[in-house]
């Protein structure tokens, strides 16, 4: 009997997480700063504890135990994911006059911070959350550990064993002959002094010890640390400061984590505005690999609702913003966060609550997955200040508010209306004060109509069947007749109309994750999949692991391709779905520093780019120029596989001009590109020819002997 129980337990533990996974677009994320949420265990509060909750830079007692106690409250808001602030063990001292209550100053990536609990508590949180249909997303910080000049000076531990600190690491650091950066476990290149080029990724962010992720030990250590959360049941990770790490390293890091199942990983790429520059371009480049937080649109949303500005301008900006994503509905949208001034702390309008409700409803209906920052539902603000750390006050629990009702209602609609989940985005009409946008997915539609000015009777054209429609939030009415819609909108109102028609033809809405290598499981979300059928990926049939009308889990097949993107199509009784793209990697990838001697290219106008004949190199990658006379980039590369690249020059948003130059390399941790295929010199080429001729003669002589032999017989 005991044996049977162990076998069942092992099977359960080995069951891929895909079986319990929801399509993330169907849900809402609730963001919690653990220390500020709820104190479930007063015995872990010291040191650096302020029971009066007046010093915002000290611990206030919140922990995993407290979060578990409040799971029913969180569930009552109808959310399906909880993003918890970083849980890893932080420095045991103050730095810059602050305790690491926020969780971003890690010292040990294998342990949980003792103020928050331990691994047992984390696993219990996962289990208790799962019982309530909620999964846990952990904030993970692989760019840096902790402050270099204060506290523990970048001290690093491996499950309790001291490894190094920033100053010890300096002694063993050496100058990288390609990048020119002094490095070992950390980069030793001072603080980020200019927010572009090499310093952006290879220097300390706000004085925090910057990891050298290309050091194989660091690479494994950070990966193992993240795996501990995944193995303990986390369904996703929010990755801190991705802008300050090489995308090529993140790609290999993500791919390794995805070997555990279809995780939902999204990154924090901090670019605050929609200003078209290299930074925004990079933001979209990162989004091609993994979802990113919608930081660029947030400022304008708050400005337009909390202060002034036209909805017409906002609608144009948002249309442009979403047009640059491969998967706009994977954007992670938020209104408030622990880094920005809370909406209700920002302005000082008489109608700020109504405006907050409008902005909240917008966040919940735009393409993407919405995040509710803890306390948004209870109008949490600080009387002591505005930005960080005052945007992190102690939680006030109140799920009876109008904001809670909006969250719950639109969260509910996400379960039934596929346009809200996967739909496109089109403005129907917009003025300074009014706006209507439509989202469509197959036979489901959504129409969001709003007015931030005096009451108005809004009329516009819409391709909806004649009829009277009722808004999901307040019961507002819209009449459609002959393609003309008419709706009365009070001041500061937002209405959400919807249609749910039957979907017979298969339609793919999302792929999770949308970057994958052979053998990896991915979840295809959508509608009209029916009871069974086939999934074709890059022309090959994929192994189906589970099949539901709105969700299919498949294993990505091995493909013969050098393209970065391959098509995914669902074929079922209802027909064939339009294809959707999957970012394909050939597998067995290592993070590779790819370099070429600058003398090979001469003067370059704009940036130098490369793309090559492997899926990993299918999308152009920008190169940086080092003080050592090299251009370099980091990309995942299949180990030992030869490849060639072509070079281009140009600006990020412009057309790339090909240079007449092809270079060669073989996948490895460091690859210096050469003008000839590596390992094949002219002499070797001639030698290879001789071997081929010799082999041909042997075959011909053997054939001749066989013929003569046969005749004789
Ligand atoms: C971004 C986080 O959101 C912020 O709170 C943190 O301080 C920095 N990254 C550094 O980790
Ligand atoms: Ca506590
Ligand atoms: Ca960095």
């Amino acid at each position: 009997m005991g044996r049977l129980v162990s076998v069942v337990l092992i099977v359960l533990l080995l069951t891929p997480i895909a079986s319990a996974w929801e399509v993330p677009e169907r849900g809402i994320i609730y963001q919690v700063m653990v220390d500020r949420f709820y104190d479930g265990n007063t015995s872990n509060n010291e040191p650096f504890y302020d029971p009066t909750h007046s010093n915002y830079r000290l611990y206030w007692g919140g922990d995993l135990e407290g979060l578990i106690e409040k799971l029913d409250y969180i569930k009552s808001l109808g959310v399906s994911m909880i993003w918890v602030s970083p849980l890893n063990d932080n420095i045991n001292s103050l730095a810059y006059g602050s305790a690491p209550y926020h969780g971003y100053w890690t010292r040990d990536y294998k342990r949980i911070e003792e103020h928050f609990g331990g691994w047992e508590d984390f696993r219990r949180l996962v289990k208790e959350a799962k019982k309530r249909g909620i999964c846990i997303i952990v904030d993970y910080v692989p760019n840096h550990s902790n402050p270099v000049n204060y506290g523990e000076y970048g001290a690093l531990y491996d499950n309790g064993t001291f490894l190094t600190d920033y100053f010890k690491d300096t002694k063993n650091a050496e100058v990288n002959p390609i990048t020119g950066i002094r490095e070992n476990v950390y980069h030793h290149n001072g603080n980020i002094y200019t927010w572009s080029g090499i310093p952006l990724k290879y220097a300390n962010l706000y004085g925090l010890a910057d990891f050298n992720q290309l050091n194989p030990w660091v690479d494994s250590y950070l990966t193992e640390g993240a795996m501990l959360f995944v193995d303990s049941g986390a369904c996703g990770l929010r990755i801190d400061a991705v802008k300050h790490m090489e995308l090529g390293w993140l790609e290999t890091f993500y791919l390794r984590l995805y070997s555990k199942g279809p995780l939902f990983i999204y990154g924090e790429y901090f670019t605050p505005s929609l200003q078209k520059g290299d930074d925004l371009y990079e933001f979209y480049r990162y989004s091609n690999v993994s979802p990113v937080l919608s930081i660029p649109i947030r400022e304008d949303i708050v400005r337009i609702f909390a202060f002034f500005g036209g909805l017409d301008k906002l609608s144009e900006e948002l249309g442009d913003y979403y047009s640059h994503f491969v998967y706009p509905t994977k954007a992670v949208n938020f209104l408030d966060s622990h880094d920005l001034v809370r909406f209700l702390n920002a302005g000082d309008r008489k109608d700020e609550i109504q405006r907050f409700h409008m902005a909240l409803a917008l966040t919940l209906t735009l393409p993407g997955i919405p995040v509710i920052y803890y306390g948004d539902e209870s109008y949490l603000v600080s009387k002591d200040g505005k930005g960080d750390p005052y945007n992190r006050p102690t939680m006030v629990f109140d799920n009876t508010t109008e904001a809670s009702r909006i969250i719950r209602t639109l969260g509910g609609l996400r379960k039934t209306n596929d346009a809200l989940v996967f739909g496109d985005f089109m403005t129907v009409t917009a003025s300074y004060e009014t706006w209507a946008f439509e989202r469509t997915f197959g036979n489901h539609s959504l129409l969001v109509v709003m007015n931030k000015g005096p009451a108005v009777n809004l009329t516009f054209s819409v391709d909806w069947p004649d009829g009277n429609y009722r808004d999901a939030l307040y019961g507002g009415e819209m009449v459609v007749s002959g393609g003309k819609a008419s709706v009365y909108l009070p001041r500061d109102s937002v209405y959400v109309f919807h249609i749910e028609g039957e979907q017979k033809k298969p339609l793919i809405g999302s792929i999770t994750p949308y970057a994958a290598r052979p053998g990896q499981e991915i979840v295809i979300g959508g509608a009209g999949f029916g009871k069974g059928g086939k999934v074709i990926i890059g022309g090959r049939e994929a192994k189906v692991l589970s099949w539901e009308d709105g969700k299919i889990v498949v294993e990505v097949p091995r493909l013969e391709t050098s393209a970065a993107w391959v098509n995914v199509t669902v074929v079922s009784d209802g027909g064939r779905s339009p294809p959707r793209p999957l970012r394909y990697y050939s597998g067995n990838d290592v993070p590779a520093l790819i370099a070429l001697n600058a003398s090979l290219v001469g003067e370059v106008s704009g940036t130098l780019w490369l793309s090559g004949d492997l899926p990993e190199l299918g999308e152009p990658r920008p190169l940086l120029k080092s003080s050592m006379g090299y251009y370099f980039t980091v990309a995942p590369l299949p180990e030992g596989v030869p490849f060639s690249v072509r070079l281009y020059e140009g600006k990020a948003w412009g057309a790339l001009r090909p240079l007449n130059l092809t270079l060669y390399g073989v996948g490895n941790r460091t690859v210096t590109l050469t003008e000839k295929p590596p390992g094949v010199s002219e002499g070797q080429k001639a030698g290879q020819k001789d071997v081929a001729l010799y082999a041909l003669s042997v075959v011909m002589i053997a054939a001749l002997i066989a013929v003569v032999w046969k005749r004789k017989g």
Side-chain angles (χ1 to χ4, degrees):
M1 186 64 187
R3 235 177 119 197
L4 185 71
V5 171
S6 339
V7 170
V8 170
L9 264 178
I10 290 169
V11 170
L12 277 179
L13 281 173
L14 293 179
T15 306
I17 50 175
S19 56
W21 182 243
E22 291 294 327
V23 173
E25 288 89 336
R26 283 246 174 251
I28 296 178
I29 302 171
Y30 188 76
Q31 183 195 350
V32 166
M33 180 151 278
V34 176
D35 178 62
R36 303 296 154 97
F37 199 61
Y38 193 65
D39 188 356
N41 175 2
T42 49
S43 74
N44 59 16
N45 292 354
E46 293 290 354
F48 312 119
Y49 173 55
D50 174 17
T52 67
H53 296 184
S54 53
N55 185 340
Y56 281 71
R57 293 183 169 81
L58 294 179
Y59 282 102
W60 286 3
D63 46 34
L64 292 173
E65 184 72 49
L67 187 51
I68 295 170
E69 275 185 48
K70 291 296 178 185
L71 281 173
D72 283 333
Y73 170 87
I74 297 177
K75 182 179 152 67
S76 77
L77 296 169
V79 306
S80 57
M81 294 165 268
I82 301 174
W83 151 19
V84 290
S85 50
L87 295 176
N88 277 133
D89 185 25
N90 277 270
I91 54 169
N92 294 331
S93 53
L94 301 178
Y96 312 106
S98 175
Y101 70 90
H102 43 68
Y104 290 99
W105 295 345
T106 316
R107 77 208 275 269
D108 195 334
Y109 287 75
K110 305 277 179 75
R111 288 204 170 167
I112 300 267
E113 167 58 41
E114 61 276 11
H115 283 85
F116 304 149
W119 284 110
E120 265 318 304
D121 300 294
F122 180 73
R123 282 190 279 270
R124 205 152 54 80
L125 169 67
V126 167
K127 199 170 130 210
E128 288 301 317
K130 202 168 166 187
K131 278 189 200 159
R132 293 161 175 85
I134 294 174
C135 77
I136 303 294
I137 295 173
V138 181
D139 206 323
Y140 194 67
V141 194
N143 177 61
H144 50 258
S145 60
N146 54 77
V148 165
N149 290 315
Y150 300 91
E152 297 193 20
Y153 309 102
L156 199 62
Y157 292 76
D158 188 354
N159 196 14
T161 306
F162 176 78
L163 296 168
T164 191
D165 65 27
Y166 200 71
F167 294 96
K168 290 204 169 62
D169 192 58
T170 316
K171 291 188 196 120
N172 302 320
E174 284 176 13
V175 173
N176 183 306
I178 289 166
T179 63
I181 306 298
R182 262 184 89 74
E183 64 188 23
N184 189 32
V185 164
Y186 293 121
H187 294 131
H188 296 272
N189 190 28
N191 281 342
I192 298 179
Y193 53 90
T194 167
W195 294 80
S196 62
I198 293 180
L200 191 69
K201 294 182 166 52
Y202 293 85
N204 299 333
L205 173 67
Y206 307 127
L208 299 163
D210 195 57
F211 277 121
N212 171 18
Q213 291 88 0
L214 295 185
N215 170 323
W217 180 84
V218 174
D219 184 19
S220 312
Y221 173 74
L222 292 173
T223 308
E224 284 162 19
M227 286 284 192
L228 289 175
F229 286 109
V230 176
D231 288 339
S232 302
C235 66
L237 297 171
R238 178 267 195 191
I239 306 293
D240 189 59
V242 296
K243 175 175 175 170
H244 304 285
M245 290 176 278
E246 288 282 6
L247 179 59
W249 177 74
L250 287 168
E251 287 167 277
T252 52
F253 173 63
Y254 295 164
L255 287 171
R256 276 186 239 136
L257 296 174
Y258 294 151
S259 68
K260 299 277 177 175
L263 301 166
F264 176 42
I265 300 183
Y266 56 95
E268 180 235 7
Y269 188 108
F270 200 91
T271 183
S273 87
L274 286 162
Q275 200 73 36
K276 267 203 181 108
D278 285 3
D279 197 19
L280 190 62
Y281 182 89
E282 279 295 294
F283 170 85
Y284 288 118
R285 207 166 72 82
Y286 275 63
S287 81
N288 279 346
V289 168
S290 171
V292 279
L293 281 155
S294 287
I295 295 171
I297 60 174
R298 192 269 176 184
E299 191 183 298
D300 276 357
I301 293 180
V302 173
R303 180 174 54 77
I304 282 161
F305 289 95
F307 296 95
F308 54 85
L311 289 170
D312 43 1
K313 183 82 196 315
L314 182 65
S315 76
E316 270 170 40
E317 284 182 343
L318 291 179
D320 184 49
Y321 175 72
Y322 285 115
S323 73
H324 297 291
F325 287 99
V326 174
Y327 279 103
T329 53
K330 274 275 195 315
V332 184
N333 301 326
F334 64 97
L335 188 55
D336 284 341
S337 88
H338 61 300
D339 288 328
L340 301 164
V341 176
R342 282 180 183 260
F343 183 105
L344 290 172
N345 249 158
D348 192 18
R349 303 179 58 90
K350 281 206 190 77
D351 61 349
E352 71 177 2
I353 292 280
Q354 286 86 334
R355 289 297 185 84
F356 175 69
H357 290 154
M358 291 183 79
L360 186 63
L362 178 65
T363 308
L364 287 158
T365 50
L366 280 174
I369 300 153
V371 178
I372 303 297
Y373 184 41
Y374 81 96
D376 269 355
E377 74 277 23
S378 57
Y379 312 116
L380 183 63
V381 288
S382 168
K383 285 177 220 74
D384 308 310
K386 291 184 175 223
D388 169 3
Y390 303 104
N391 48 10
R392 305 156 181 188
T394 207
M395 174 60 178
V396 169
F397 293 90
D398 186 356
N399 56 6
T400 63
T401 60
E402 176 60 6
S404 311
R405 196 188 67 80
I406 292 173
I407 296 165
R408 223 176 279 127
T409 308
L410 294 177
L413 193 57
R414 234 165 226 278
K415 303 272 184 286
T416 52
N417 185 281
D418 293 342
L420 178 51
V421 181
F422 307 121
D424 57 3
F425 177 71
M426 196 189 75
T427 287
V428 177
T429 179
S431 68
Y432 190 90
E433 287 166 339
T434 60
W435 183 20
F437 66 83
E438 190 183 358
R439 302 190 51 204
T440 310
F441 184 76
N443 294 326
H444 286 206
S445 302
L446 188 87
L447 196 60
V448 180
V449 191
M450 65 183 78
N451 171 31
K452 68 182 185 107
V456 63
N457 199 34
L458 194 67
T459 53
F460 50 90
S461 301
V462 71
D463 191 15
W464 280 28
D466 286 2
N468 290 15
Y469 295 88
R470 209 152 272 296
D471 138 64
L473 283 174
Y474 305 96
E477 206 186 1
M478 175 175 73
V479 180
V480 177
S481 167
K484 284 263 170 269
S486 158
V487 51
Y488 172 79
L489 294 163
R491 178 185 277 280
D492 290 340
S493 62
V494 51
Y495 289 164
V496 180
F497 302 100
H498 53 105
I499 300 177
E500 291 83 26
E502 198 188 350
Q503 183 64 36
K504 287 204 171 122
K505 193 178 166 203
L507 210 49
I508 300 176
S510 86
I511 298 180
T512 309
Y514 53 80
R517 60 179 172 177
Q520 191 182 307
E521 286 174 29
I522 53 170
V523 181
I524 302 170
F529 297 154
K531 292 204 167 64
K534 280 196 272 191
V535 173
I536 311 293
I537 301 183
R540 285 198 58 189
E541 191 171 336
K543 184 172 161 197
V544 173
L545 303 171
S546 74
W547 192 293
E548 292 167 38
D549 189 53
K551 185 175 83 176
I552 306 169
V553 183
V554 292
E555 193 179 293
V556 174
R558 181 166 293 285
L559 304 171
E560 290 301 322
T561 181
S562 59
W565 295 93
V566 297
N567 280 335
V568 179
T569 313
V570 173
V571 186
S572 72
D573 285 349
R576 201 182 173 87
S577 75
R580 296 302 304 269
L582 173 73
R583 185 84 141 92
Y584 180 76
Y585 294 80
S586 44
N588 196 23
D589 291 296
V590 291
L593 180 66
I594 306 178
L596 63 111
N597 203 306
S599 63
L600 290 174
V601 285
E603 264 312 295
V604 173
S605 101
T607 302
L608 187 70
W609 304 71
L610 64 73
S611 73
D613 60 356
L614 291 172
E616 283 82 349
L617 302 172
E619 285 270 322
R621 289 176 189 265
L623 292 113
L624 293 166
K625 192 172 179 188
S626 78
S627 56
M628 311 301 275
Y630 284 97
Y631 281 103
F632 68 93
T633 187
V634 176
L637 285 183
E639 233 173 346
V641 176
F643 64 91
S644 67
V645 301
R646 293 182 60 80
L647 297 172
Y648 305 82
E649 62 178 2
K651 295 220 164 64
W653 291 94
L656 299 185
R657 197 176 69 79
L659 300 178
N660 193 16
L661 190 59
T662 302
L663 298 174
Y664 301 87
V666 178
N668 204 343
R669 292 224 168 217
T670 305
V671 184
T672 308
L673 299 171
T674 54
E675 285 179 282
K676 299 206 175 70
V680 187
S681 64
E682 284 307 315
Q684 273 174 311
K685 265 191 192 162
Q688 280 174 5
K689 246 191 229 159
D690 292 348
V691 170
L693 275 177
Y694 176 75
L696 195 66
S697 346
V698 169
V699 171
M700 282 175 74
I701 290 169
L704 208 67
I705 291 173
V707 170
V708 173
W709 191 256
K710 238 188 163 177
R711 284 229 177 124
K712 264 181 130 185

